[in-house]
Amino acid sequence: MVVRQETHPGTGAGSSPEEFRVAVASMRAARLRPEILCEEMPAPQRIAPYASALSADVTVDGIDLGTGRIILLHDPAGNDAWNGTFRCVAYARAEIDPDLITDPLLAAVGWSWLTEALDAHTAAYTAPSGTVTRVATESFGSMSDEEASAQLEIRASWTPTTLDLASHVEAWAELLCTAVGLEPVPEGVTPMPSRRGQRGSAT
């Protein structure tokens, strides 16, 4: 899978730093579950001099249950807010049971899914931050026949302390799967390769 690289105009596009290229290559090495379709997406161009981005959908039996993206930012000059020169920015959204929306522990549990996934994949990091949002939708009038729905949205960022980002991508993917309610892969079982780039990305 080819990961898209974006840079600011005039910052040496096509001559990105070696450590950034190493980090991006490691993202491509991540092994994801077969329920995840992962592909490249345009990276933001104004947050950092160099950026790479991936998007993913979690699909079971033809039904999309969740979606997300992870962006790698790199500023060779460093960033005080990051406490480093790299930053991972992740987003995950999952459909959940509407009855769960009022659970006072839901947000804290959602955040723990991320930190536990990072720890489980030994993805070394520092300076984590983020939000967990619950969204409930009810329909009225001519749309009153539609069932209520609810989504959980997790936005997070953290500073990786290694250039090997495969574990960080795998942790983000695990967050997506946990959020949609998939059973964890049994310990000692290696996930089959996921479907990558089936919507036009190169492989």
Side-chain angles (χ1 to χ4, degrees), residues 1 3 23-32 164-167 169-170 196:
M1 177 178 63
V3 179
V24 170
S26 72
M27 293 176 72
R28 295 196 290 262
R31 295 184 62 86
L32 310 180
D164 184 0
L165 295 180
S167 59
V169 174
E170 290 166 358
R196 300 188 181 214

Side-chain angles (χ1 to χ4, degrees), residues 14-89:
S15 59
S16 55
E18 174 66 18
E19 60 179 355
F20 178 71
R21 295 196 298 270
V22 169
V24 170
S26 72
M27 293 176 72
R28 295 196 290 262
R31 295 184 62 86
L32 310 180
R33 293 175 56 153
E35 297 92 345
I36 297 176
L37 188 151
C38 186
E39 60 186 354
E40 67 179 82
M41 64 173 285
Q45 300 183 42
R46 297 180 177 85
I47 301 177
Y50 304 94
S52 258
L54 297 173
S55 66
D57 293 317
V58 182
T59 305
V60 176
D61 296 330
I63 300 174
D64 289 337
L65 301 179
T67 187
R69 58 182 176 268
I70 185 167
I71 303 167
L72 175 65
L73 305 175
H74 177 50
D75 186 343
N79 187 308
D80 291 340
W82 301 352
N83 191 30
T85 59
F86 285 90
R87 189 73 171 172
C88 291
V89 179

Side-chain angles (χ1 to χ4, degrees), residues 114-125 158 160-162 164-171 174:
L114 170 64
T115 57
E116 290 174 1
L118 287 168
D119 293 341
H121 288 271
T122 62
Y125 68 98
W158 62 90
T161 58
T162 174
D164 184 0
L165 295 180
S167 59
H168 294 261
V169 174
E170 290 166 358
E174 182 176 319

